[in-house]
Amino acid sequence: MSSPTSTPVGSKRSRDDIPVTPSSDGLASPPSQRRRGQDSSNGDLPAMPTSPATDIASPAVHDTSLFSSPRRSVLPSEVDMSSPLMYGTPSSRVEGTPRSGVRGTPVRQRPDLGSARKAPQVDLHTDADGAVASEQAAGQKLVIWGTDVNVGTCKEKFQRFLQRFIDPTSNEDENAGLDLNEPLYMQKLEEISVIGEPVLNVNCSHVQSFDADLYRQLISYPQEVIPTFDMAVNELFFERFPDSILEHQIQVRPYNALKTRNMRSLNPEDIDQMITISGMVIRTSQLIPEMQEAFFQCQVCAFSTRVEVDRGRIAEPAVCRNCNTTHSLALIHNRSAFSDKQMIKVQESPDDMPAGQTPHTTIVYAHNDLVDKVQPGDRINITGELKKKRRGAYFIDSTADCIYRAVPMRENPRQSTVKSVYKTHIDVIHFRKTDEKRLHGLDEDSDQKLFTEERVQTLKELAAKPDVYERLSSALAPSIYEQEDIKKGILLQLFGGTRKDFSQTGRGNFRAEVNILLCGDPGTSKSQLLQYVFNLVPRGQYTSGKGSSAVGLTAYVMKDPETKQLVLQTGALVLSDNGICCIDEFDKMSDSTRSVLHEVMEQQTLSIAKAGIICQLNARTSVLAAANPVESQWNPKKTTIENIQLPHTLLSRFDLIFLMLDPQDEAYDRRLAHHLVALYYQSEEQIEEEFLDMAVLKDYIAYARTYINPRLNEEASQALIEAYVDMRKIGSGRGMVSAYPRQLESLIRLAEAHAKVRFSDKVETVDVEEAKRLHREALKQSATDPRTGFVDISILTTGMSATARKRKEEVAQALKKMIQSRGKTPAMKYQQLFDDLRGQSEAAITKDMFEEALRALADEDYLTVTGKTVRLL
Amino acid sequence: MPSSHDWINKPLGVVEAMFAQSNSNPEWEAKVLEYFKGQLREKESHSWVPSLNDVPLHYLKPNSLVKFRCLVQDMFDPEFYMGVYETVDPSTKANVLRCGKYKDVTECGVDLNSRNTVTAERQTFYCVPIPGESPWAKESYGCSSQARVVPSTSYVPSRQKRSYEEDDDDMDTQPQKQREPHTEPHGNGDSKRQETEAPSSQTTAPSDCSSHLDLNFPLPGERGPACLVKVYEGLDSFKLNDTLEIYGILSVNPVLTVLGEEKDPSLLLLNPTESMETPEEQRAHDPPASLVPRLHMLYARPLQHNNPLLPSAPTEDQSAFVSSFLVEMASVRAELLAYLTHVLLGDGLAAEYLLLHLISNVYTRRDVLPLGKFTLNLSGCPLNSYTERLYQIVQQLVPCSYRLSMSLHTMNSMRLVPKKDYVANRLVSGALQLARNTSLFLDETQLEQGQLDSSGVRNITALGNLISWQKVDYDFSYHQMEFPCNINVLVTSEGRSLLPSDCQVPLQPQVTPPNMEEYLTTIHMAQFTSQINKFRVYLSLARTLDYSISDEVTKAVEDDFVDMRKDDPQSVTAEDLHRMLVVARLLSLSLGQTTLSRDGWMRAKHIDMLRRSRTEQQKSLNGNEP
């Protein structure tokens, strides 16, 4: 390839006249123009690959000469163009294509593509000198300098792509409502013509599957290829919809470049290439107006001229072309054209960082309408171009707009040494918020974790094993001994049920998340389980009931010190949306904090009304809580509620409540001892093995959560119905209710989760069986009435076992009878009544029971208690 | 032998010579590293290299090879630089290829548009001296250095002398004093509080710049040079909070210091690319080179321990040293135990536990569970500066330590957990950002009744997490990030500590000296330095020993556990077994035994029994202990 110095074919390449097919006048640019480029102030740079931007033929001339079409009336006139309000660029008026539609629409400059808006083209097969002569003949081989991109071919290819690309398997939400069997992008163009938003988002993977070579060019030379795409789209669009009126010409925004990069793996080879990285926005700057075109006016003759900014530099005209006075031109800020720009700092998302290192940050520039699209805290995918800039303490010419300083500084001898560091940034072409849909509606792809074919294969093999459920549950927290059922419960929680949306029928969402409460003696490694789960899931939060307030769990409103803007800061529950919120010391939580959980645990939303912000956030989080008994040891003589003193309204929202007790038998002790000793002295390799397990487990869960959505089949539904009826039957014989619809829902969720464990799309009877078993186990532990030894669900749902309730009623009736038997005594002594009742009753009556009975009678409006006297009504 | 020292005095010459020979064959980079590694492998050669830790910066020649013993406090973003570039001689117009590696600035006349420019990547680490390094360790490192440093001409000796005088009391040999870190006043009653020094020794730094320069040391009152280390190879092998000995080329080019100049906002507007960085960020990332020198890393050695008395590298040297010391182990242990017993007012059991605590070490992690940690809660400590004295004695024994006086004020105001400052784009350090095996001495006797505010609660939670899980959750504002650590926490308290601990030992003083200060001072004075040095070596060495347990003993332990549970299931829980296994391990190691014997297990059981009976006694005495 010819060296830059010997490339006189400096074609001016602004996005309008790029279409430089060989016949374009751009190639044979008049010598005068070239010369002008070279005698400008930076002409001493010997090896500028492009001629500087000096197409400063007065725009007025272009306007009059080109705008002769009838569409002119809908355009901003040239008067508008020079007004300070006009953010467009004059290049729009140097329209090269003959079609009226394209021409009628102003081009908007693309600062996102930045520097190389003008690139010379080079003929591969002829010497640079002979290029002009042979260009007609060798037209097809003409490429943009430094690349292998031929504008004509590239454009054709892209148009073909737009016209023909069909993706019948597409399930992207963006394509909702489009006919998948028609060319996708043509439909999108149609959409543009209707909606009038001149932006065409192109999925790079589509391009790749359609034309790998085009894709490669797009990735490698985005600065050159994207403008070509733009032209192609516009030609196509206005051919189709000649009457459309757009604000400016359509801009192509490619996204999802498959070369998706972790921020950490960016390296010098990626400079000037198109990349897609993901990260979290941590800071956004204020809007920065960036000069796109400078307006100069001669102080002597008032002759005005415009200079486009090229690579952040403005070549200040030294001589007025009108009156030939030197150095008479002054910049008029108000008449120069600016575009919006915003600096955004993006930090690596915590999920894809190696342990023990700090997250990297990258500077990103958003331009024009991408400004203010994202807020700090957003997780986004950015498609953009990595750029570097020299970081010059003395070097001004690398920075934008410093026209006044650039010239003298270059003569400054001190600049001869420069810092050898570049600054890098990314110019955004496309933003994609990954958590956008988190706030409203469904999201299948929020955890779009990419699995390699191989990995999927391993996972599927694992899923095919008959004992996968046991395998996975034993891989869960191996350092914790036994407690198989609890681990299984947690495993099912990790997978979760299938999300069902009935909001169309007005019934809202059904909870898919499984909530689990662990209670038991202190020191039974509850916290350890919680810690493990928290470390396992990508979006887990760990809080302790003691240390968290309602505010810390939900969300609070904060005033940004800089902007004075009110910002909603989300707390643990919202942050763990789609994850698991682990709450330790659940019993130590204050009542107000716990009350927040009511909404979260059933409705899966969080309502906030604070400081003028009223909103409902999604908090589709599973809660894994651990509670200690009130009396430091678990009292087996009391019910669960009595032991942990939590309101039953909250308890009934847990699908599974497990007791973690210290079982006391010899065989268990021996196994436990063996387990612990092994834990301490296991060899390195065994530890190694386990780590592998954890990674597999992580992927397995992620895969199942993303791709498996099991549904109940007929048999399973029947089995569930039977199970529920059975559960109801158990209690009915003794006048107790042993199951409520909530329990049925729990069963369904657990069965679905179990089907997910098997990677099965159908919930089958086996799943229901296991769900039943687990549910029964948990109930057996937590809802056994210590007085009768029967499982009694009402302990959890009403806070009182049925026998206790029956007894209460009996006492009240006995009391009533006793009072009635006394005849008409309007008032009685409290103490005396109590003593009488005690004397009369066979069973021991405590003062509490007596008071409860009184209260029950008072509720019946039978009597009132005032101080020490009881009055009949 | 001046020629042999060229690689120390002019390392860049070596690099450039190799680059010139290479003809842009990329292998030259590996060759350079190999060369320096080879030089440093030679006997004693590393002691010829002057150390930034004990030689003042203005003594060191720019662009010479220096070493720096440090902790990686923060990792900045990777940067791209000109790895190879071309210069044009203005007179001859000849193009010369040059190497930009290991340099901050380029030569004159760079051809910015040359196609031969190679962009390469490097990363900057912000490194600080190892926090809480004991004075004896610093001194000992300083003494072992054989580097002959010639003062540069601009240096005025009288100033040096004064600096030494000032440093006398706390035995710090760092005349290069930095402004005290910008942390708010924290009344931790530390005797090491530093007087704010007039910037007399900072002739090179513009004073306005240094005045708001916060060197971001994890611990308040620290001093010493912070350093921006440019790392070229093996980026992934380094982690935050690693302790390293870095050999690299010192760069203090004043060009790097063009920063102090006023930034006027209108200029920022005019120049949007410059506004990429806030002034705070510039200050954090480009501090004046005279205050924060740059070091271009050629070789880094991870420090397994920070004890200057032990051979550092795992060579034959070390194994010989270890085996020779193992013989002495038991006797040194006895002496140390006697010494600690004296210090703990004649309480032998507490001394035993303190000794075990001092050699404890998180040797591995099983999923979330750190194994080997042994947090000791020494309750029943006499008040009135006893704990302070105790800390001083611990400090004399271990290479790194820090005493955190848990007064209400400190807990409420001090920053314990490092926090990301997004404005300055750096990790603002906190007191819990410590190197591995640092002894953290929590003095709960200083805690009085009162209100903890939200930051106080956070701090207490952080301490609790540190003790239970050996991790610190760094605050990244939008999320937290967990950094595992390995810190020996010793809690001294009056009653049982409010923080969790692995093991609580109530102190039972056998003697009540009328004057505590005097008593402890005399004990301390009675030890010879050689004796103390033996203790130091002993503690560091015992920690590094390997340990295993045979199947036979495993079986015995299991049987034992089952037996114990048989009598009274409540008496021994899984947690007790956990603890006893750790005690058994530490007990064996403290005797220099690398496997657990039956005797070892019985001893561990025995002392644990003694300890438990003591705590129960305490409980029944107090009656109200939960």
Side-chain angles (χ1 to χ4, degrees), chain A residues 2 4 45 47 266-268 271 280-283 288-289 343 345 347 350 353 355-361 363 365 376-377 386 388-391 393-395 399-402 405 416-424 477-479 523 527-528 531-532 534-535 633 662-664 666 669-670 672-674 676-682 687 690-691, chain B residues 74-75 77-82 103-110 112-113 115 117 119-123 235-236 238-240 255-256 258 267 270-278 281 286 363-364 366-369 371 422 425 469 471 476 478-479 481-483 547 549 554-555 557-559 561-562 565-566 569-570 574-575 577-578 581-582 585:
Chain A
S2 46
L45 278 179
L266 288 178
N267 64 38
I271 287 175
M280 189 170 67
V281 178
I282 52 169
R283 226 157 69 81
I288 308 163
M343 193 264 296
K345 275 214 168 147
Q347 183 182 282
M353 264 178 33
Q357 303 207 350
T358 54
H360 288 173
T361 53
I363 291 169
Y365 282 118
L386 186 64
K388 62 171 184 187
K389 267 188 179 146
R390 194 167 304 102
R391 175 172 184 168
Y394 297 105
F395 239 87
T399 61
D401 300 356
C402 294
R405 296 203 290 154
S416 47
T417 59
V418 289
K419 274 200 205 174
S420 57
V421 177
Y422 296 102
K423 277 195 171 172
T424 50
S479 64
S527 314
Q528 210 180 313
Q531 278 283 343
Y532 182 87
F534 158 65
N535 279 304
Q633 283 283 325
D662 198 356
Q664 288 152 8
E666 196 184 316
D669 290 348
R670 180 168 297 277
L672 175 68
H674 184 79
L676 284 184
V677 179
L679 178 72
Y680 272 80
Y681 308 113
Q682 219 164 29
I687 292 171
E690 235 151 59
F691 268 113
Chain B
D74 194 1
M75 295 165 133
D77 296 330
E79 58 188 20
F80 294 167
Y81 69 101
M82 288 188 267
K103 281 180 230 168
D104 280 312
V105 289
T106 61
E107 306 281 321
C108 299
V110 183
L112 294 172
N113 300 297
R115 308 190 60 193
T117 307
T119 311
E121 190 181 7
R122 68 184 178 201
Q123 200 178 353
L235 289 171
D236 293 337
F238 299 104
K239 294 212 157 72
L240 200 71
V255 172
L256 300 168
V258 242
L267 208 133
L270 244 176
N271 199 344
T273 26
E274 286 299 299
S275 70
M276 222 143 66
E277 287 188 338
T278 56
E281 194 172 348
D286 286 315
Y363 61 95
T364 187
R366 298 289 309 260
D367 41 77
V368 288
L369 194 71
L371 297 182
Y422 284 111
N425 195 12
W469 308 109
K471 61 161 192 180
F476 279 78
Y478 300 98
H479 58 98
M481 206 139 62
E482 185 182 304
F483 284 88
Y547 180 69
I549 183 165
T554 310
K555 189 83 185 54
V557 171
E558 283 170 33
D559 289 342
F561 180 70
V562 174
R565 297 261 302 179
K566 217 180 253 168
Q570 289 303 318
E575 220 170 318
L577 184 59
H578 267 285
L581 285 168
V582 177
R585 171 196 157 87

Side-chain angles (χ1 to χ4, degrees), chain A residues 569-718:
Chain A
Q569 293 278 336
T570 46
L573 284 172
V574 179
L575 284 178
S576 56
D577 187 24
N578 274 322
I580 292 189
C581 189
C582 303
I583 308 177
D584 207 351
E585 308 197 54
F586 196 62
D587 49 313
K588 309 270 191 316
M589 207 175 247
S590 72
D591 288 342
S592 61
T593 316
R594 238 175 305 179
S595 66
V596 176
L597 287 169
H598 281 122
E599 185 188 351
V600 171
M601 286 177 61
E602 202 57 57
Q603 272 71 46
Q604 306 273 291
T605 54
L606 202 74
S607 309
I608 291 166
K610 271 195 189 101
I613 296 182
I614 298 169
C615 64
Q616 200 172 42
L617 299 170
N618 274 332
R620 286 155 308 175
T621 167
S622 311
V623 174
L624 176 61
N628 287 324
V630 177
E631 317 158 21
S632 58
Q633 283 283 325
W634 187 269
N635 187 346
K637 297 201 177 64
K638 290 184 168 179
T639 60
T640 311
I641 302 258
E642 285 161 342
N643 260 314
I644 51 176
Q645 298 272 310
L646 284 173
H648 56 85
T649 43
L650 197 54
L651 278 191
S652 65
R653 285 172 161 81
F654 284 102
D655 296 270
L656 297 172
I657 299 177
F658 287 109
L659 295 190
M660 281 183 101
L661 297 180
D662 198 356
Q664 288 152 8
D665 76 278
E666 196 184 316
Y668 172 82
D669 290 348
R670 180 168 297 277
R671 290 197 305 268
L672 175 68
H674 184 79
H675 180 80
L676 284 184
V677 179
L679 178 72
Y680 272 80
Y681 308 113
Q682 219 164 29
S683 60
E684 289 285 325
E685 300 93 70
Q686 278 164 302
I687 292 171
E688 208 48 29
E689 252 169 48
E690 235 151 59
F691 268 113
L692 204 79
D693 271 354
M694 185 155 167
V696 173
L697 183 62
K698 261 186 181 170
D699 282 358
Y700 196 94
I701 293 171
Y703 185 86
R705 283 184 74 103
T706 322
Y707 297 105
I708 315 278
N709 290 305
R711 303 192 71 101
L712 292 173
N713 71 3
E714 193 52 40
E715 282 166 49
S717 319
Q718 281 306 323

